[in-house]
Amino acid sequence: MRDDRLIVALDVPNALAGAELATRLGDAVSFYKIGLGMLTGGGLALANELKQEQGKRIFLDMKLFDIGATIEAAVRGLAQFDLDFLTVHGDPHVVAAAKEGAAGSEMKILAVTILTSLDRDDLDACQIRAGDLPELVTTRAVRAFEAGADGVIASPQEAALIRALPEADNRLIVTPGVRPAGADLGDQKRVATPANAIADGADHIVVGRPVWQSPNPKAAAQAILAELNSPQAHQPNH
């Protein structure tokens, strides 16, 4: 049984290391995220190999941001690779242009609300308007949905708020910042356990270091999947 709620982030240096990790994970993992860090290390080639030759689902985490025409052209180019998810920044003009570029493909456009590595002090440093962080995230989510986003990227701590929005009906919520109990938080500041994230309305969770830094990545992934199928994951936390 494939359980694609777990997306493993292949945040390793290059495609060779990514392919090796995917081999170690085997049939335990069916969905992978490939991000900017691996783009120059053969990331697109690995995405294509995992998708076409191994039947995996692929989330290309590019977090694109530019003028509309450039976004549309970039997304149209990426859509030809038959990938599943692509991230862009949640600004309405970016989302609308990305949806134009993805037209005719099955690729879902996910809007980044506010990065899960940021807190209110970071937003102040970026001169982003004052306000409660969850409120800013939900406002950006609504505007992204109105611009046509198929889903959003948000921390587990905002998943329940977004899932409750009327605009979120039939939209995807994908949550990075997920850490099994006792795991090192790394650079994430707004976190939750896998079961809590799913219980609060996330469709998919993204987990990287707790899997690929483990001495036994497959066992680590299987432990997360077991947690996703525990009673706790089916009990809303709100």
Side-chain angles (χ1 to χ4, degrees):
M1 286 284 292
R2 289 166 63 107
D3 188 340
D4 67 2
R5 290 176 298 172
L6 170 63
I7 301 176
V8 170
L10 295 177
D11 294 334
V12 291
N14 53 51
L16 196 63
E20 181 183 327
L21 177 59
T23 298
R24 293 181 69 187
L25 290 167
D27 58 4
V29 175
S30 58
F31 211 151
Y32 287 104
K33 179 177 88 79
I34 293 175
L36 276 173
M38 204 204 283
L39 190 62
T40 58
L44 273 178
L46 177 61
N48 203 42
E49 178 185 333
L50 290 172
K51 177 79 178 183
Q52 304 303 329
E53 297 179 22
Q54 299 185 34
K56 305 296 186 183
R57 299 186 72 194
I58 298 296
F59 165 15
L60 197 62
D61 188 19
M62 296 288 103
K63 299 184 181 73
L64 299 175
F65 181 86
D66 213 310
I67 63 170
T70 301
I71 292 292
E72 184 178 341
V75 173
R76 184 172 292 114
L78 291 169
Q80 68 184 325
F81 291 97
D82 189 31
L83 305 176
D84 296 274
F85 295 170
L86 173 70
T87 48
V88 302
H89 275 267
D91 304 64
H93 80 278
V94 175
V95 173
K99 284 295 291 179
E100 284 291 325
S105 77
E106 296 295 316
M107 187 169 68
K108 304 291 189 191
I109 299 299
L110 304 182
V112 176
T113 51
I114 293 174
L115 297 173
T116 53
S117 59
L118 303 182
D119 57 19
R120 185 63 251 181
D121 289 342
D122 298 313
L123 299 187
D124 290 341
C126 295
Q127 299 185 12
I128 292 175
R129 74 172 173 86
D132 181 53
L133 201 144
E135 181 211 348
L136 293 177
V137 169
T138 51
T139 299
R140 278 179 67 79
V142 167
R143 291 178 180 172
F145 290 144
E146 289 173 347
D150 298 297
V152 294
I153 306 293
S155 94
Q157 296 180 14
E158 290 99 37
L161 294 171
I162 295 172
R163 182 52 71 205
L165 296 168
E167 296 86 353
D169 194 32
N170 296 319
R171 308 295 178 102
L172 294 165
I173 299 174
V174 179
T175 58
V178 173
R179 292 287 184 269
D184 179 29
L185 298 186
D187 55 6
Q188 301 290 354
K189 295 180 181 176
R190 308 196 322 276
V191 301
T193 64
N196 284 343
I198 293 295
D200 275 342
D203 297 285
H204 300 273
I205 62 169
V206 180
V207 183
R209 274 167 284 205
V211 171
W212 59 258
Q213 286 186 344
S214 168
N216 188 336
K218 186 171 186 176
Q222 288 170 329
I224 293 168
L225 289 165
E227 183 180 329
L228 294 186
N229 288 289
S230 69
Q232 184 188 2
H234 302 284
Q235 300 295 322
N237 299 308
H238 52 90

